[in-house]
Amino acid sequence: MQIANASDFETSNKSSMDDTLLVRFYLKPRQDAGESAKQGRPVFVDKEYIEFRIPGSRDAVARPASPADIARFPKHYEAFKNRTAEPETGTPLIEWPAISRSMAEEFSFFNVKTVEQLIEMSDQNASRFMGINELKRKAKKWLKAADTSKAEEAIKERDDEIAELKAQVKEMMKMAKPKVTKKRRTKKKVAKKAVPQEE
């Protein structure tokens, strides 16, 4: 059995083992944290990965594919691109709690991989699946609930900002208001005129 060092998999240390490595490019759904937070539901984007295997060994190294990997294994990458559709964006059916894994795989076979694609499936194509209308209704309701939750969160955030701005304005007005200091009024002393006395 041929044993490889970890460095054999590094792009910077291309070795003669490249000819014997089993190399596979594939798509892996990764959660987009920013978009998920924005939409209030898990949103995934397909990312390109590369996997290395050594013939005769069960070990494998898998990681996100880099431009250097594509340059290092152009034939493998070309074969991958020729059999792969464009990366999907949305909520994968497999991540949707209302559907089983087997159902998600069945839909995937018919190129329906996200909740959004399930909703948009034409009636003609949907007719081959039992209970599809109920499933589509649930999917719409689930997305709407996520959107409502997102809207409520946005409203609360806006209200908090308004309250904070009001407090700041109030504080600024207090600081800008001139302080009125009470001056002590001193009574003017009136000089008494000397009244001439009678003789």
Side-chain angles (χ1 to χ4, degrees), residues 116-163:
E116 292 83 355
Q117 288 174 341
L118 175 69
I119 292 168
E120 292 165 12
M121 200 192 321
S122 71
D123 292 339
Q124 184 182 352
N125 291 335
S127 63
R128 65 172 59 119
F129 301 101
M130 280 189 67
I132 188 68
N133 291 331
E134 178 62 17
L135 205 56
K136 284 174 89 170
R137 189 188 64 74
K138 282 183 181 177
K140 283 177 186 174
K141 190 177 175 183
W142 185 75
L143 281 183
K144 190 176 179 182
D147 288 341
T148 302
S149 172
K150 177 187 152 194
E152 285 171 356
E153 193 177 310
I155 290 166
K156 186 184 179 303
E157 196 175 307
R158 184 204 62 191
D159 290 346
D160 291 346
E161 280 179 17
I162 290 169

Side-chain angles (χ1 to χ4, degrees), residues 46-194:
D46 284 342
K47 297 284 185 189
E48 291 180 351
Y49 269 65
I50 187 169
E51 179 186 82
F52 303 94
R53 287 183 181 274
I54 303 164
S57 171
R58 290 177 59 86
D59 298 332
V61 173
R63 57 175 164 74
S66 67
D69 293 324
I70 294 165
R72 184 176 173 183
F73 301 103
K75 289 179 184 174
H76 297 83
Y77 188 72
E78 187 182 351
F80 156 72
K81 290 305 274 183
N82 287 340
R83 68 177 185 272
T84 308
E86 284 298 304
E88 305 292 344
T89 301
T91 303
L93 285 173
I94 206 158
E95 298 294 332
W96 184 37
I99 200 168
S100 68
R101 187 179 186 89
S102 59
M103 281 180 78
E105 286 174 4
E106 185 183 351
F107 280 120
S108 180
F109 180 78
F110 289 98
N111 297 310
V112 178
K113 299 180 181 183
T114 67
V115 176
E116 292 83 355
Q117 288 174 341
L118 175 69
I119 292 168
E120 292 165 12
M121 200 192 321
S122 71
D123 292 339
Q124 184 182 352
N125 291 335
S127 63
R128 65 172 59 119
F129 301 101
M130 280 189 67
I132 188 68
N133 291 331
E134 178 62 17
L135 205 56
K136 284 174 89 170
R137 189 188 64 74
K138 282 183 181 177
K140 283 177 186 174
K141 190 177 175 183
W142 185 75
L143 281 183
K144 190 176 179 182
D147 288 341
T148 302
S149 172
K150 177 187 152 194
E152 285 171 356
E153 193 177 310
I155 290 166
K156 186 184 179 303
E157 196 175 307
R158 184 204 62 191
D159 290 346
D160 291 346
E161 280 179 17
I162 290 169
E164 190 179 331
L165 287 169
K166 279 182 177 177
Q168 287 175 0
V169 169
K170 196 174 180 181
E171 191 64 34
M172 286 170 71
M173 286 179 75
K174 273 185 187 176
M175 291 171 68
K177 202 172 187 181
K179 290 183 180 179
V180 178
T181 55
K182 291 183 178 178
K183 291 182 180 177
R184 279 187 173 180
R185 291 184 178 179
T186 54
K187 291 182 179 179
K188 289 182 180 177
K189 291 181 180 177
V190 180
K192 290 182 179 179
K193 287 183 180 180

